Amino acid sequence: MLAYIIRRLAYALPILLGVNLLTFALFFMVNTPDQMARVQLGDKHVSEEAIEQWKAQRGYDKPLFINAAENSEGLLTDTIFFEKSARLFVFDFGKSDEGRVIGADISERMWPSLAVALPTFIIGISVNIVFALFVVMFRASAFDTAAMVLCVVLLSISGVFYILGGQYFFAKLWHLVPISGYLAGTDAIRFLILPVIIGVVAGIGGGTRLYRTLFLEEANKDYVRTARAKGVSETAVLFRHILPNGLIPILTSVVVVIPSLFMGSLLIESFFGIPGLGSYTLDAIQAQDFAIVRSMVFLGSVLYILGLILTDISYTLVDPRVRLS
């Protein structure tokens, strides 16, 4: 197991390097530091002196990859790539273009993101699995048809509609919860109830349809027919046989959600005024603060790779037949 994890981490390094190089090329070779300075200064007739001063203050006045003016020690290190991209591998995110410490912002904002994403993730997965199992129990019936129609309707509605509708009815019309905002500690609960409910409801359509398909595939296999022939009840067949064997493909579909637990949801956090990493990234995009955007892209890549490794490890817990080598 340990050798497998080390080997997967070693495989991840070239992937992260490729992501880093591609991100660097997009931000610094397509959009040059001079263009970044003009955007940030916001003046069409900005002087060259102001541009050079802006670049010098933020470390954008150095060569991109190789600094021929330096000796062998600073040939590669005294460059924009090393200062702005290579240090991301040791999670040194540096400062934003506005001078804020990005690492401190991430440490502060990850908790509101987790406060929204974690309960949404756990409750959503549980609701989708249970609902899908009930649909499979009554498959080929009117309940099955009605459930699938409902799932298609829920899947067809935009997430923005759920957010606006929830804010209008539950916050503005009925005054059950605050319409937006966030407080630390236990006071955050009343601000998180509506975003969590909306996140769960918005995912029921797609999640239930996917899990229903996976469970139906398991329900048609020989071991399930054998269990029914032995007189095992339908409830026992569902929860003791179909559910455990259907967890592996479910784990595969769940892995894509893991980065969002830390990275946050752009729409939810923006509409509800939650100071998480999702709104942090969106604000950085709107302000064209590329230092923050680069850091968040790299962090998302790291979390996605870790999610893949955790998924492989969880396979051995769900199915003892799986061995990592």
Side-chain angles (χ1 to χ4, degrees):
M1 176 74 73
L2 180 60
Y4 173 81
I5 295 175
I6 294 175
R7 188 166 61 251
R8 286 296 302 269
L9 291 175
Y11 291 158
L13 290 177
I15 298 175
L16 291 177
L17 181 60
V19 171
N20 207 336
L21 288 172
L22 180 60
T23 306
F24 181 83
L26 290 174
F27 281 108
F28 288 105
M29 300 179 74
V30 176
N31 190 32
T32 64
D34 287 351
Q35 293 172 332
M36 293 167 57
R38 288 190 176 91
V39 170
Q40 291 292 328
L41 292 173
D43 188 357
K44 296 181 180 179
H45 305 289
V46 63
S47 64
E48 290 297 328
E49 290 79 7
I51 292 176
E52 293 300 325
Q53 183 180 3
W54 186 92
K55 289 164 56 180
Q57 290 174 347
R58 293 158 177 80
Y60 293 139
D61 58 336
K62 301 175 182 180
L64 290 179
F65 290 101
I66 299 176
N67 192 341
E70 295 290 333
N71 54 25
S72 58
E73 191 173 312
L75 185 66
L76 298 176
T77 59
D78 194 21
T79 60
I80 293 179
F81 177 76
F82 183 84
E83 293 290 335
K84 304 297 182 181
S85 291
R87 288 187 174 182
L88 293 176
F89 283 96
V90 294
F91 299 100
D92 182 2
F93 300 107
K95 294 184 178 181
S96 67
D97 292 337
E98 295 181 353
R100 295 180 58 87
V101 180
I102 298 176
D105 287 343
I106 292 175
S107 300
E108 179 183 349
R109 287 174 170 266
M110 66 177 289
W111 300 112
S113 292
L114 284 173
V116 177
L118 196 59
T120 302
F121 174 74
I122 295 174
I123 298 173
I125 290 293
S126 303
V127 169
N128 291 340
I129 289 177
V130 172
F131 192 27
L133 286 173
F134 274 107
V135 173
V136 172
M137 181 181 295
F138 298 100
R139 59 191 175 276
S141 65
F143 178 79
D144 184 14
T145 303
M148 286 303 96
V149 171
L150 177 61
C151 287
V152 172
V153 171
L154 292 175
L155 189 61
S156 304
I157 299 175
S158 171
V160 177
F161 177 83
Y162 290 111
I163 295 173
L164 296 178
Q167 287 181 325
Y168 177 77
F169 287 104
F170 293 97
K172 184 177 180 180
L173 192 61
W174 297 332
H175 304 286
L176 298 177
V177 292
I179 192 169
S180 65
Y182 185 80
L183 292 175
T186 56
D187 293 331
I189 296 177
R190 59 194 181 97
F191 291 96
L192 296 175
I193 292 175
L194 184 57
V196 170
I197 292 176
I198 289 175
V200 172
V201 172
I204 288 178
T208 301
R209 290 189 70 222
L210 173 62
Y211 300 155
R212 172 184 175 273
T213 302
L214 297 175
F215 292 147
L216 283 177
E217 183 179 350
E218 291 293 327
N220 294 323
K221 291 185 177 179
D222 292 338
Y223 74 91
V224 175
R225 288 194 289 267
T226 302
R228 290 197 181 102
K230 290 181 178 180
V232 180
S233 65
E234 189 65 22
T235 303
V237 169
L238 282 173
F239 288 94
R240 294 181 185 177
H241 298 279
I242 295 177
L243 178 58
N245 288 281
L247 284 180
I248 286 185
I250 289 177
L251 287 173
T252 304
S253 65
V254 164
V255 67
V256 297
V257 184
I258 292 178
S260 67
L261 296 180
F262 294 89
M263 302 298 289
S265 170
L266 295 176
L267 287 177
I268 291 288
E269 292 183 5
S270 297
F271 275 92
F272 286 98
I274 298 174
L277 292 178
S279 60
Y280 184 58
T281 305
L282 186 60
D283 292 343
I285 294 173
Q286 292 175 343
Q288 298 194 12
D289 196 324
F290 300 124
I292 296 176
V293 179
R294 288 196 311 272
S295 299
M296 299 308 294
V297 169
F298 180 82
L299 183 59
S301 302
V302 172
L303 293 174
Y304 186 78
I305 291 173
L306 291 178
L308 290 175
I309 296 175
L310 290 175
T311 301
D312 291 343
I313 295 174
S314 65
Y315 285 167
T316 62
L317 303 177
V318 174
D319 191 346
R321 296 171 299 177
V322 176
R323 290 292 180 267
L324 301 179
S325 60

